[in-house]
Amino acid sequence: MDEVDEIHDALNAAVRALSSIRKDFMNEVERNKMKVPSETYMEWINRAVEIEKQVKFSVDEDKILVDQPPETVVKRRGPDINKFKTLRKPLEQILDLLEKDNVKGIRIHGTVGIGKTTIMLNLNNHEQVAKKFDIVIWITVSKEGSKKNLSREHLQQAIVQRTEIKMEGASNVDKVARRIFKELKGKKYLLLLDDVKEDLNLNEIGIPESNNGCKIVLTTRLR
């Protein structure tokens, strides 16, 4: 970000200098109204104006691209929970719990096919959630049929992609964890962990503990 700002400052300084020269020339021509401006002069003025416009557009566009944060929620396709009466109440209960300051984690427990992931999908897509959190991060923690969670590296990569963190070639898991920690520290996040198969150390992944309203919701078959 600092390098981009330096480039923007240099471009703006150059354009200001060009603009000053252009205005000086135009003032000189204005003072000598009896002389007809040459075609070379008119071409130079037109080109200077065009450069000023292009640089302004480029700077504005780059700032939009650089400063654009990731979407608060990435909507996920799934069954409409309104079609399942037995699942609507658990979703409403979870939404109520998310409003309580003393609740930091919620576990959705049940056997295969009971509707845990359907509840999570509808939670992820809910308007109330989008308004409450800075970012909602969905992570599928394990593969179907596996008895273990995915690797630390895999889970980190899912977070890096979702938060659009620029890693600049960093591959060491500890460095990645520190980068994730730095990105999420101070943000009000909702972490959705689907299908947790075993104990999961969030600190090792880089998830910071927070008192600013962050929440974690997970689904699991484990008690």
Side-chain angles (χ1 to χ4, degrees), residues 6-140:
E6 290 178 4
I7 293 172
H8 288 169
D9 291 342
L11 282 172
N12 284 326
V15 168
R16 284 195 297 270
L18 178 62
S19 179
S20 296
I21 295 171
R22 176 177 60 81
K23 289 176 182 177
D24 287 343
F25 283 163
M26 292 180 71
N27 289 335
E28 181 66 23
V29 170
E30 183 66 20
R31 285 193 295 268
N32 295 276
K33 291 183 178 180
M34 298 299 293
K35 294 183 179 181
V36 179
S38 68
E39 291 186 9
T40 301
Y41 166 81
M42 294 304 300
E43 176 65 25
W44 188 91
I45 289 293
N46 291 335
R47 183 57 181 154
V49 171
E50 184 63 26
I51 289 173
E52 291 172 28
K53 290 180 179 178
Q54 288 178 356
V55 171
K56 184 180 185 305
F57 175 79
S58 178
V59 169
D60 291 344
E61 187 178 51
D62 285 345
K63 284 185 176 180
I64 291 173
L65 293 174
V66 171
D67 296 338
Q68 188 70 28
E71 296 177 84
T72 300
V73 175
V74 175
K75 295 291 182 71
R76 303 180 70 90
R77 295 180 62 182
D80 183 356
I81 206 165
N82 291 318
K83 298 178 181 179
F84 305 92
K85 293 182 180 179
T86 57
L87 300 182
R88 288 205 300 266
K89 186 175 181 179
L91 176 61
E92 292 171 359
Q93 291 174 332
I94 292 169
L95 289 169
D96 288 340
L97 288 172
L98 290 179
E99 296 297 327
K100 299 182 181 299
D101 294 336
N102 62 328
V103 175
K104 292 188 177 182
I106 301 169
R107 180 185 64 180
I108 305 173
H109 168 260
T111 56
V112 178
I114 201 172
K116 302 185 298 297
T117 299
T118 297
I119 293 173
M120 284 276 274
L121 288 168
N122 283 267
L123 179 65
N124 177 84
N125 298 343
H126 204 281
E127 290 183 0
Q128 181 177 327
V129 167
K131 294 177 181 178
K132 183 174 180 61
F133 297 95
D134 296 330
I135 187 168
V136 179
I137 303 172
W138 176 291
I139 303 178
T140 301

Side-chain angles (χ1 to χ4, degrees), residues 2-3 26 33 41 47 55-56 70 78 100 116 119 142 149-150 174 178 186 192-194 197 207 209-210 212:
D2 292 338
E3 292 180 0
M26 292 180 71
K33 291 183 178 180
Y41 166 81
R47 183 57 181 154
V55 171
K56 184 180 185 305
K100 299 182 181 299
K116 302 185 298 297
I119 293 173
S142 66
N149 297 332
L150 294 170
D174 292 326
R178 288 194 293 270
L192 302 178
L193 304 173
D194 190 38
K197 296 286 181 62
I207 303 298
E209 293 185 15
S210 178
N212 67 342

